[in-house]
Amino acid sequence: MDQWSIASSLNRRALLRRAGTAAAGLVALPLSACEAQNSLFSADGAGANPLAIPELNQGIVEQGERVFRLSISAGQKEFVPGVVSPTIGINAPYLGPTLEMRRGERVRLHVDNGLDDGATVHWHGFELPAAADGGPHQLIRPGARWSPSFEVRQRASLYWYHSHLHRGTGPQVYAGLAAPIYVRDDEEDALDLPSEYGVDDIPLIVQDRVLDNSGKLLYPQNMHAQMMGVRGDRLYVNGTQNAVFDARTGLLRLRILNGSNARFYDFSLSGGQTMQIIASDGGLLERPRAVRSLRLAPGERAQILVDLSEGRPLSLVATSPDNSMGMMGGDGGGMMGRRRDDTEMDEPFRVLDIRPSDSSPQRKLPSQLAPLPALDPSLAVRTRRFVLDMGMMGGGMSINGASMDMNVISERVPVGQWEIWEIANASMMAHPFHIHNAQFRVIDRNGRTPPPLETGYKDTVIVDPREQVRLLLRFEEHTDPDLPYMYHCHILEHEDAGMMGQFVVVDS
Ligand code: C2O
Ligand code: CU
Ligand code: CU
């Protein structure tokens, strides 16, 4: 196997060995990967490709459960035409189907691991028993089946499922082990929102990728990639580069998932048109919020409505904010010098071109969406503090001074009690902090009110350098004194390197 190519048979031990030597600075960087790709997102936009829409999988209702059959296997994909790369997919060569479920029903997911490697599948954003969570403790061995079952407690929204392999999440997600989940519910159905899958309700899995000189998918494992996370210079949406969508309606609902390993995006519409944010990670906001720009870090989602009633083509574009204060690159001569795969893009690059039809009927936007409970931090009976940090040279990824250890449970959280989790960032780089089994509210950021997207429920939140973000949360059920959930940075290379900790939910 080519050292730098991703294969489903990726040997985890070899990977760790390489990671170790890379961390020690002994491995020559695969410069070709980083330097040769000059084709920044917008540059080679000559061709336009119809946006791939993941197949909708509603499962089959059997004996009171909605049953999904998912089979993880090695696949192949042409990231550039004519060059085949090994990938991982779920019921597909790359990525997987959108699972659709309803709040209140029981689901069962049969997950078959057809890889030569262990895998896990985590239901990101779900409140469920720890045994069903799909974190690193629920390893599915090669050839084995895992069949968790749980009640869907979530509000209607876009969630996702992805690999959570211990120290191997980054490469597996990068190779394709990730896909969307739609939860629907009555509250949302009562609103007249666009909700026809693939027609006016579209999932957008936004991911960047690096290809080597021959055009094959490459997972860089140099020190730069370890520190900054793997960031690519090509953008794919649902696996499609230079994606175009032909809209048939006057109002389009885009459900954006930042499924990238490490890159943050500031999304906006071409021409400065406003977009209406209607939902965050955990469902509808109280009312639509008009914004010109929307930042999403890895793991975060947002749903927006785009008004196409004027019939003019437009583009969803993005810039890539520097989330590292120039630490590793930037013009100030960061410690690693400037690198091309990390170019700060001054010009917006295209995410999706949208072509409306001429006769798009107008559609009115509801002015109210979903009433949310008042955010009342005085409910909290205690505060826990989490300090995110990273050492130099790719080591020292930690939370409260400790790196992830499968055998250490750091927090015991009593069920049913409101808590404030105070997340502080001691490093020079922004981190998206994610908590399993929770949908929380953001109280404040360094004492200031959070932006529109953070007025609703969230499961992943950006914590900027020198920032302290306060979250209000409560675990309502699912106690298990032994089996933990995770909290971690959702930059997957940081997670894999140990910026992760474990908590159990216990009887109070
Ligand atoms: Cu989306 Cu613990 O992960
Ligand atoms: Cu999660
Ligand atoms: Cu991080």
Side-chain angles (χ1 to χ4, degrees):
M1 189 178 90
D2 165 6
Q3 184 186 4
W4 303 106
S5 68
I6 291 297
S8 56
S9 61
L10 191 89
N11 179 312
R12 210 148 55 89
R13 239 168 324 149
L15 186 151
L16 293 175
R17 226 181 298 125
R18 287 202 297 273
T21 46
L26 300 176
V27 162
L29 306 178
L31 291 181
S32 57
C34 304
E35 311 293 0
Q37 299 297 335
N38 200 7
S39 53
L40 291 181
F41 301 125
S42 53
D44 59 350
N49 307 306
L51 174 71
I53 310 249
E55 177 194 79
L56 185 68
N57 185 331
Q58 299 173 310
I60 294 171
V61 177
E62 287 169 8
Q63 292 158 13
E65 289 181 331
R66 186 176 295 279
V67 179
F68 296 89
R69 293 176 200 285
L70 304 177
S71 138
I72 304 170
S73 60
Q76 292 189 329
K77 176 178 166 60
E78 297 183 9
F79 286 87
V80 291
V83 186
V84 166
S85 296
T87 53
I88 301 177
I90 310 127
N91 301 357
Y94 179 69
L95 304 175
T98 297
L99 309 183
E100 189 183 57
M101 38 187 89
R102 278 196 85 78
R103 183 178 194 181
E105 70 184 0
R106 269 201 92 75
V107 294
R108 180 173 298 276
L109 303 111
H110 296 296
V111 187
D112 289 312
N113 181 7
L115 303 177
D116 297 332
D117 249 330
T120 80
V121 176
H122 166 60
W123 322 105
H124 179 127
F126 278 71
E127 294 165 66
L128 35 56
D133 189 44
H137 294 270
Q138 285 83 49
L139 178 69
I140 317 170
R141 296 186 188 284
R145 166 177 287 190
W146 179 58
S147 300
S149 161
F150 53 88
E151 187 194 326
V152 179
R153 305 297 315 271
Q154 272 42 67
R155 302 172 71 229
S157 198
L158 171 67
Y159 302 90
W160 64 308
Y161 58 112
H162 63 77
S163 165
H164 216 298
L165 187 65
H166 188 51
R167 296 190 183 159
T169 297
Q172 284 197 339
V173 170
Y174 193 80
L177 217 177
I181 301 178
Y182 275 38
V183 172
R184 308 260 191 197
D185 69 10
D186 297 344
E187 181 183 44
E188 189 185 274
D189 287 354
L191 298 165
D192 185 29
L193 294 170
S195 54
E196 199 179 332
Y197 184 79
V199 176
D200 60 8
D201 179 349
I202 316 291
L204 301 178
I205 312 165
V206 179
Q207 298 176 312
D208 56 341
R209 292 291 181 265
V210 188
L211 306 183
D212 69 12
N213 284 332
S214 71
K216 273 196 171 170
L217 183 63
L218 179 138
Y219 185 71
Q221 296 179 61
N222 52 60
M223 192 199 308
H224 181 263
Q226 306 247 318
M227 287 293 276
M228 301 294 292
V230 166
R231 310 213 276 181
D233 57 358
R234 289 167 184 261
L235 189 79
Y236 296 83
V237 182
N238 304 343
T240 310
Q241 195 176 16
N242 302 323
V244 184
F245 180 73
D246 286 307
R248 285 183 270 150
T249 57
L251 194 60
L252 189 60
R253 177 187 196 172
L254 300 176
R255 304 187 186 224
I256 310 173
L257 157 65
N258 183 346
S260 303
N261 281 35
R263 192 178 283 281
F264 290 38
Y265 303 95
D266 284 334
F267 294 97
S268 59
L269 294 174
S270 57
Q273 186 176 325
T274 56
M275 47 193 173
Q276 303 283 342
I277 307 180
I278 56 167
S280 55
D281 301 338
L284 292 172
L285 306 182
E286 286 202 289
R287 56 187 171 85
R289 305 291 293 256
V291 297
R292 285 192 195 283
S293 142
L294 169 66
R295 175 168 299 183
L296 292 181
E300 288 191 296
R301 291 89 67 208
Q303 297 180 41
I304 60 170
L305 293 180
V306 179
D307 181 5
L308 301 173
S309 58
E310 285 185 13
R312 265 187 286 116
L314 66 134
S315 302
L316 179 67
V317 298
T319 54
S320 183
D322 178 11
N323 65 332
S324 68
M325 298 177 76
M327 181 174 77
M328 301 292 284
D331 295 319
M335 54 186 277
M336 297 290 291
R338 189 156 180 81
R339 300 189 64 85
R340 182 111 3 103
D341 68 344
D342 200 25
T343 303
E344 300 319 323
M345 285 158 240
D346 313 313
E347 280 184 90
F349 50 88
R350 281 161 43 204
V351 178
L352 179 68
D353 287 346
I354 303 164
R355 294 191 298 222
S357 67
D358 337 307
S359 56
S360 305
Q362 195 127 15
R363 176 105 162 243
K364 274 207 72 174
L365 192 68
S367 57
Q368 297 297 316
L369 296 169
L372 299 181
L375 176 58
D376 183 2
S378 73
L379 293 171
V381 300
R382 70 181 66 77
T383 296
R384 290 174 206 267
R385 188 173 163 81
F386 299 86
V387 181
L388 314 180
D389 206 356
M390 51 199 290
M392 304 295 271
M393 314 310 259
M397 299 285 175
S398 64
I399 298 179
N400 290 343
S403 253
M404 168 71 176
D405 178 337
M406 294 265 283
N407 300 311
V408 175
I409 291 170
S410 302
E411 309 289 332
R412 300 174 64 80
V413 185
V415 72
Q417 298 182 356
W418 289 101
E419 300 198 346
I420 292 173
W421 285 25
E422 199 172 82
I423 323 300
N425 184 351
S427 78
M428 285 171 65
M429 188 174 169
H431 304 280
F433 187 77
H434 170 53
I435 307 172
H436 286 209
N437 190 38
Q439 289 294 334
F440 51 73
R441 305 285 294 276
V442 181
I443 302 168
D444 53 18
R445 302 182 155 271
N446 281 351
R448 289 188 310 272
T449 342
L453 182 66
E454 296 177 347
T455 58
Y457 284 98
K458 297 278 296 162
D459 54 53
T460 306
V461 67
I462 296 173
V463 188
D464 279 323
R466 316 247 176 281
E467 198 176 32
Q468 176 169 298
V469 179
R470 292 198 307 152
L471 312 175
L472 182 67
L473 80 175
R474 174 173 70 166
F475 300 96
E476 291 180 32
E477 54 175 326
H478 305 312
T479 57
D480 188 326
D482 304 314
L483 209 49
Y485 299 98
M486 310 292 131
Y487 49 82
H488 59 90
C489 174
H490 220 288
I491 292 175
L492 300 181
E493 289 69 31
H494 291 181
E495 173 189 337
D496 283 343
M499 195 181 285
M500 176 153 68
Q502 308 194 97
F503 69 100
V504 285
V505 177
V506 297
D507 292 324
S508 46

